[in-house]
Amino acid sequence: MAYEVQGVVARGKGAPVGIETIVVPDPGPGEAVVDVQACGVCHTDLHYREGGINDDFPFLLGHEAAGLVSAIGEGVTNVAVGDYVILNWRAVCGECRACRRGELQYCFNTHNAAQKMTLKDGTELTPALGIGAFAEKTLVHSGQCTKVDPAAPPTAAGLLGCGVMAGVGAAINTGAVRRGESVAVFGCGGVGDAAIAGARLAGATTIIAVDISDRKLEWARGMGATHTVNSAETDAVEAIKALTGGFGVDVAIDAVGHPKVFEQAFYARDLAGRVVMVGVPTPGMTIELPAIEIFGRGGAIKSSWYGDCLPSRDFPMLIDLYLQGRFDLDAFVSETIGLGEVEQAFEKMHKGEVLRSVVVF
Ligand SMILES: NC(=O)c1ccc[n+]([C@@H]2O[C@H](COP(=O)([O-])OP(=O)(O)OC[C@H]3O[C@@H](n4cnc5c(N)ncnc54)[C@H](O)[C@@H]3O)[C@@H](O)[C@H]2O)c1
Ligand SMILES: [Zn+2]
Ligand SMILES: [Zn+2]
C-alpha cells in the first residue's frame, strides 16, 4: 500500500516551491520508509530549484533530515522499524573501485532507493540528493539510514545529514586540520560555520572566518573563529597574510562555491598548504590560475564530497560530542518552520538572515 503525504516540490527553474501531495511506495528490497521529524534548509536545495544542479524537474526537495524508520523492505538488516536515524546521501556500495581499495568515503556507486516517489498523476519525482525529506514520509535505500542516539533532538541531529557534516568533514577529514594549525574558512553559512567548528574540534589555534556579511562573521565567532575578515570591505588574502605572520594559512576552505572565492582560498595558503573546495560551483563556472602558482605553492587542492565522511563512523561520533556538550549543533538552528515556509526560508537564506531554518513535522 502506497502512502499519500505532503511534500515540497520544485516544478521548474526559479519557480517558487510549493506543497503537493506525493505518493510514497511501500519499501521494496533494500529500501526503507522514514517518517521525517526535522529537515534543514540547505543552500543545495536552492541550487536545485534554480536549475543549478540538473534539469530533472520536478524535484522533491529536502535532504538534511532525521526521523523514525516506519517500514522496511525485504532483506533490510541494518535498521528496524522504530529506529531513530539520520538520513545520509552517500550510502556506500562496498563493491566499487573506491570501496574495494578501502576508501569508502569516495564510493563511486552510492545507493539510492530503486523505486520512485511520484506526484498523484504518476509524474516521477527526483528527490534532492536521493533523499527528498521535505515530506512527512520519504523512501530511501536502507543504507541511507544511519542509527544514532535518540537523546539528540531531530532538529539538531538532522543537520549532520548534510551541511554540518560537509563543513566539519571539510576541516577534519578532507583538510585534515591538526592541532596548532591555522585555518581560513570562506563563507560562513551552515557549511562554513561547521568547518569553523570542525577546525576548533581538531585543535586549530588560528581560525579566520571570511564572509561579506558582518552578521555572519559575528555568528562565526560564536562557532570558534578567532579572527574575522569582511571580504566585501578588505582584501581577504592580504588580511589573512597579515594575521599569519605574512605567510598565509595551513588550510583554506572555500565554503561558497564561487571561482573568485576559490581563487582567494588558493592564494591565502602558506606554502605546501591545503585548499579545500566544499562549496558547490554551478556547471558553467570556470577557474583560471597560473600553472606556475599551482606548482610553486605546492600542497594540495582537494574537493570535499560530503566532508569525505563515512556516515556510520562520523554521525554517531558527532552526536556523542553534541550530547557531551562539546559540539553545539543547536547553535546552527536559527529557526524552526512549518513545511509551507520553505520558500520564505530560501529568501531568508539569500538575505543572510539565517544559518539554518529547520522544518519540523
Ligand atoms: N560539498 C558538499 O558535500 C556540500 C554539502 C552541503 C552544501 N554544500 C555547498 O556549500 C555551500 C554553502 O552552503 P550553505 O548552506 O552554508 O549556504 P549559505 O547560503 O547558508 O552560506 C553561504 C555563505 O557564503 C557567504 N558568501 C557569499 N558570497 C561570498 C563571497 N564572495 N565571499 C565570502 N562569503 C560569501 C554568504 O554571506 C553566506 O554566509 C553551497 O554551495 C552548498 O551547495 C556542499
Ligand atoms: Zn562503492
Ligand atoms: Zn545540503
Side-chain angles (χ1 to χ4, degrees):
M1 182 205 70
Y3 314 90
E4 286 191 4
V5 297
Q6 303 296 295
V8 175
V9 174
R11 287 270 191 175
K13 197 168 179 159
V17 300
I19 294 190
E20 308 217 16
T21 300
I22 62 163
V23 181
V24 180
D26 255 339
E31 295 174 339
V33 169
V34 173
D35 288 4
V36 181
Q37 294 177 306
C39 182
V41 181
C42 172
H43 207 119
T44 304
D45 293 305
L46 186 54
H47 281 326
Y48 271 107
R49 194 206 70 177
E50 291 178 342
I53 307 274
N54 60 47
D55 276 330
D56 300 338
F57 289 97
F59 294 112
L60 173 61
L61 297 182
H63 59 274
E64 197 175 87
L68 295 173
V69 175
S70 61
I72 55 171
E74 204 186 306
V76 171
T77 53
N78 68 312
V79 283
V81 171
D83 279 350
Y84 179 58
V85 296
I86 298 176
L87 297 179
N88 75 71
W89 47 265
R90 287 189 59 79
V92 299
C93 78
E95 292 167 359
C96 72
R97 318 187 291 293
C99 286
R100 277 204 311 267
R101 64 179 181 235
E103 296 182 317
L104 283 78
Q105 74 276 23
Y106 299 139
C107 177
F108 301 147
N109 190 26
T110 55
H111 289 313
N112 291 131
Q115 300 183 85
K116 289 284 186 186
M117 293 181 274
T118 65
L119 293 171
K120 274 191 86 167
D121 65 5
T123 306
E124 289 189 352
L125 291 161
T126 307
L129 292 170
I131 291 185
F134 289 146
E136 293 158 338
K137 284 179 185 288
T138 189
L139 175 78
V140 292
H141 188 279
S142 64
Q144 293 181 269
C145 300
T146 309
K147 269 173 78 164
V148 292
D149 190 334
T155 45
L159 300 177
L160 290 181
C162 186
V164 171
M165 186 66 249
V168 172
I172 66 176
N173 294 331
T174 318
V177 172
R178 293 185 295 259
R179 257 190 332 275
E181 284 194 316
S182 54
V183 179
V185 177
F186 295 77
C188 303
V191 175
D193 274 358
I196 289 168
R200 173 161 71 178
L201 268 178
T205 42
T206 300
I207 304 175
I208 305 168
V210 184
D211 204 291
I212 50 175
S213 146
D214 284 328
R215 175 166 26 192
K216 291 299 184 70
L217 291 172
E218 201 180 305
W219 293 344
R221 274 199 188 272
M223 297 288 177
T226 56
H227 303 81
T228 59
V229 174
N230 185 325
S231 58
E233 295 164 357
T234 321
D235 182 318
V237 176
E238 289 310 315
I240 289 167
K241 288 202 163 150
L243 291 167
T244 50
F247 300 123
V249 286
D250 300 309
V251 182
I253 299 173
D254 165 10
V256 179
H258 191 279
K260 279 282 156 242
V261 176
F262 180 81
E263 212 171 284
Q264 290 171 343
F266 179 83
Y267 285 112
R269 271 177 315 158
D270 196 357
L271 291 172
R274 291 92 81 194
V275 57
V276 176
M277 181 195 268
V278 64
V280 180
T282 53
M285 291 176 171
T286 57
I287 293 168
E288 200 173 322
L289 289 168
I292 189 64
E293 296 288 351
I294 298 174
F295 174 77
R297 287 166 186 268
I301 298 175
K302 298 176 97 179
S303 56
S304 185
W305 301 340
Y306 206 178
D308 291 339
C309 77
L310 272 181
S312 56
R313 175 193 66 195
D314 295 335
F315 291 1
M317 178 266 292
L318 289 167
I319 288 291
D320 279 352
L321 289 174
Y322 166 73
L323 291 173
Q324 292 166 10
R326 295 161 67 188
F327 180 51
D328 189 3
L329 282 168
D330 296 322
F332 290 87
V333 183
S334 308
E335 57 168 2
T336 54
I337 59 172
L339 195 58
E341 295 169 272
V342 171
E343 187 59 40
Q344 292 92 311
F346 283 153
E347 190 64 25
K348 287 183 205 165
M349 173 191 283
H350 197 67
K351 289 193 192 142
E353 293 171 359
V354 291
L355 215 44
R356 274 297 186 266
S357 304
V358 180
V359 174
V360 289
F361 292 84

